[in-house]
């Protein structure tokens, strides 16, 4: 499986650009980057402009003396290096560059964090033969890398690597589990589930970056298929509701509400940090340094708990405020979770009782029926 450690084309490109004979190309590249940086940001216009620049530079590189005797692969490596160089330099101008992109990224991330608390493979009708936690974990790991890269090619390779893991899973299942391959009908639900489990940061902006700034000649075949599927998975998640899953609407609504209660509104906490040691231990009594830090506190570990490995002798009087705040936070979460679980249990019991009732809403036991017959 191809990995996302592709420095060779980029390093080769930089080596060629250091050659004095490439001065004209270097000037063209730097001139474009500078002029682009001073124009108003518009994703669609930016995409078209960058694609046109890549095409112009491709023609210039193919005709350049430094690549006169180069193979097609060597020339392609130079173009890959060019894309990575330009898009790395322009990343802050082109990635998540509009409020709308930022908003969609946040909506997807928040919704996925809610779905993670209750969504199971059966809700997406994933056959048991395809339920392989080890393979899913590997696919998630590849997809999570997407936000660590700036170049569209590297981001796309994260998607390709993730998708190949899933494809291998489908292939192995068809061989060992006697599972009849379902093509996209099998692939897409697994990809959706892996995406929800991974919750890759800024998913929308990463996909948009690939669509707009990856060289169009490279968005074909396998790459195009996998990218299209992940775009479909993103859209599915954004629009997902009870009708999209194999789940009762009431159960879906209750599960989403329970997830919202657990991942409740962030609160502002005061973190006590001493500037002399990790846990605030002082050589002699003195006031601790207070840093006011706004942190996300949720059940998934958003809050910082620095005292888990501390010894009693390492704590100071100044740490009491922080510990009290954490204690209150834990109690509040626990109480909220207990109320939610109790509410869900009562609701499901009521639904179960209603399902046992006769159509007219009354209970009649066997003895009563026998009495009526007599």
């Amino acid at each position: 499986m191809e990995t996302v450690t592709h420095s060779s084309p980029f390093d080769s490109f930089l080596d060629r650009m250091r050659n004095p004979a490439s001065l004209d190309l270097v000037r063209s590249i730097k001139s474009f980057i500078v002029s682009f940086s001073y124009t108003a940001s518009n994703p669609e216009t930016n995409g078209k402009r960058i694609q046109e620049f890549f095409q112009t530079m491709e023609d210039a590189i193919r005709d350049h003396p430094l690549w006169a005797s180069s193979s097609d692969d060597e020339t392609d490596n130079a173009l890959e290096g060019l894309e990575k160089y330009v898009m790395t330099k322009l990343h802050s101008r082109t990635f998540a560059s509009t409020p709308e992109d930022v908003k969609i990224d946040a909506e997807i991330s928040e919704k996925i964090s809610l779905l993670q608390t209750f969504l199971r493979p059966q809700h997406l009708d994933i056959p048991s033969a395809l339920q392989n936690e080890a393979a899913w974990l590997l696919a998630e790991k590849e997809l999570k890398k997407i936000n660590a890269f700036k170049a569209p090619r590297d981001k796309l390779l994260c998607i390709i690597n993730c998708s190949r893991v899933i494809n291998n899973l489908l292939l192995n299942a068809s061989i060992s589990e006697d599972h009849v391959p379902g093509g996209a009908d099998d692939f897409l639900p697994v990809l959706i589930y892996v995406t929800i489990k991974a919750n890759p940061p800024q998913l929308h902006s990463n996909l948009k970056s690939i669509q707009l700034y990856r060289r169009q000649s490279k968005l074909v075949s396998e790459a195009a298929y996998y990218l299209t599927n992940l775009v479909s998975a993103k859209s599915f998640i954004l629009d997902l509701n009870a009708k999209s899953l194999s789940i009762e609407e009431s159960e879906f609504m209750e599960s989403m509400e329970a997830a919202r209660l657990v991942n409740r509104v962030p609160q502002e906490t005061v973190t006590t940090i001493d500037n002399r040691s990790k846990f605030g231990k002082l050589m002699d009594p003195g006031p601790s340094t207070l840093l006011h830090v706004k942190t996300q506190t949720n059940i998934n570990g958003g809050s910082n708990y620095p005292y888990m490995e501390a010894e009693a002798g390492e704590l100071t009087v100044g740490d009491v405020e922080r510990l009290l705040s954490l204690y209150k936070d834990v109690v509040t979460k626990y109480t909220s979770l207990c109320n939610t679980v109790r509410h869900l249990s009562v609701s499901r019991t009521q639904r179960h009782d209603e399902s046992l009732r006769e159509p007219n809403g009354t209970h009649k036991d066997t003895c009563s029926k026998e009495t009526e017959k007599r």
Side-chain angles (χ1 to χ4, degrees):
M1 183 175 68
E2 188 175 11
T3 58
V4 194
T5 53
H6 305 286
S7 58
S8 295
F10 186 57
D11 292 340
S12 176
F13 169 76
L14 292 180
D15 288 340
R16 295 279 184 112
M17 290 297 104
R18 294 187 185 101
N19 191 311
S22 68
L23 185 59
D24 55 333
L25 296 178
V26 172
R27 285 174 175 169
S28 296
I29 295 170
K30 288 187 175 181
S31 175
F32 175 78
I33 291 173
V34 171
S35 64
F36 189 93
S37 300
Y38 284 101
T39 58
S41 181
N42 182 306
E44 302 303 327
T45 303
N46 290 348
K48 181 179 179 181
R49 187 179 176 191
I50 287 176
Q51 292 295 337
E52 290 175 349
F53 175 72
F54 286 156
Q55 186 58 57
T56 299
M57 290 302 299
E58 179 176 349
D59 297 337
I61 288 174
R62 291 187 183 280
D63 294 337
H64 200 276
L66 282 176
W67 281 272
S69 58
S70 298
S71 65
D72 288 341
D73 286 342
E74 289 174 324
T75 303
D76 188 64
N77 282 343
L79 297 173
E80 296 288 21
L82 171 68
E83 179 188 284
K84 183 168 185 174
Y85 181 82
V86 171
M87 294 315 302
T88 298
K89 293 291 185 180
L90 297 177
H91 183 261
S92 61
R93 291 278 299 170
T94 57
F95 186 80
S97 57
T98 68
E100 182 65 18
D101 290 337
V102 174
K103 179 183 177 183
I104 295 175
D105 281 332
E107 287 178 357
I108 296 174
S109 181
E110 181 181 354
K111 189 165 188 178
I112 288 179
S113 69
L114 298 178
L115 293 170
Q116 284 178 332
T117 63
F118 69 91
L119 191 75
R120 299 292 178 265
Q122 54 267 31
H123 294 145
L124 290 165
D125 297 323
I126 298 176
S128 57
L130 303 182
Q131 296 181 24
N132 186 316
E133 289 291 342
W136 288 349
L137 188 62
L138 181 57
E140 292 164 29
K141 182 179 177 181
E142 292 297 330
L143 191 57
K144 283 181 179 179
K145 296 177 183 177
I146 192 170
N147 209 45
F149 299 94
K150 295 181 179 180
R153 176 177 182 260
D154 291 337
K155 292 179 182 294
L156 182 58
L157 281 175
C158 294
I159 298 173
I160 292 174
N161 290 339
C162 167
S163 300
R164 285 177 177 173
V165 171
I166 296 174
N167 255 348
N168 287 338
L169 169 62
L170 302 184
L171 179 61
N172 292 335
S174 67
I175 296 173
S176 60
E177 302 286 344
D178 197 27
H179 173 74
V180 179
D185 291 338
D186 278 344
F187 180 82
L188 186 57
V190 175
L191 180 61
I192 291 170
Y193 188 72
V194 166
T195 303
I196 291 173
K197 294 282 284 182
N199 197 2
Q202 297 179 284
L203 178 61
H204 167 74
S205 290
N206 277 294
L207 292 173
K208 189 172 182 179
S209 176
I210 296 170
Q211 291 173 309
L212 289 178
Y213 305 119
R214 178 64 173 141
R215 286 189 296 143
Q216 295 302 300
S217 61
K218 294 296 181 180
L219 291 180
V220 294
S221 188
E222 181 187 41
Y225 176 75
Y226 291 148
L227 176 62
T228 300
N229 271 278
L230 189 55
V231 171
S232 298
K234 181 206 76 171
S235 299
F236 178 88
I237 293 170
L238 264 178
D239 299 333
L240 186 148
N241 54 38
K243 295 179 181 179
S244 311
L245 305 171
S246 294
I247 188 174
E248 292 293 333
E249 185 169 1
S250 58
E251 182 181 352
F252 176 81
M253 298 302 293
E254 289 174 0
S255 298
M256 289 292 282
E257 184 59 30
R260 290 189 185 97
L261 288 173
V262 172
N263 296 284
R264 68 187 188 284
V265 180
Q267 67 181 37
E268 190 167 306
T269 63
V270 179
T271 304
T272 304
I273 302 174
D274 185 80
N275 60 358
R276 300 191 191 182
S277 72
K278 181 179 179 182
F279 297 110
K281 181 173 67 174
L282 300 175
M283 298 303 294
D284 49 57
S288 295
T289 301
L290 294 180
L291 298 181
H292 294 267
V293 182
K294 183 178 288 187
T295 59
Q296 295 286 334
T297 55
N298 55 55
I299 199 67
N300 293 322
S303 183
N304 185 26
Y305 299 92
Y307 304 101
M308 288 298 293
E309 299 178 4
E311 298 293 336
E314 295 177 312
L315 303 177
T316 69
V317 175
D319 292 319
V320 173
E321 182 179 1
R322 172 63 171 159
L323 285 169
L324 180 60
S325 175
L326 292 176
Y327 169 76
K328 291 179 179 179
D329 183 45
V330 170
V331 171
T332 303
K333 288 177 181 177
Y334 176 76
T335 304
S336 176
L337 186 59
C338 287
N339 290 336
T340 301
V341 172
R342 189 180 300 111
H343 172 72
L344 288 175
S345 299
V346 171
S347 298
R348 287 171 181 170
T349 301
Q350 290 175 344
R351 286 204 305 272
H352 178 69
D353 291 343
E354 290 172 358
S355 67
L356 297 177
R357 295 179 184 276
E358 289 189 353
N360 62 2
T362 61
H363 284 288
K364 291 186 177 181
D365 56 24
T366 306
C367 292
S368 297
K369 290 179 180 178
E370 290 297 323
T371 302
E372 289 174 1
K373 287 180 181 179
R374 291 172 187 170

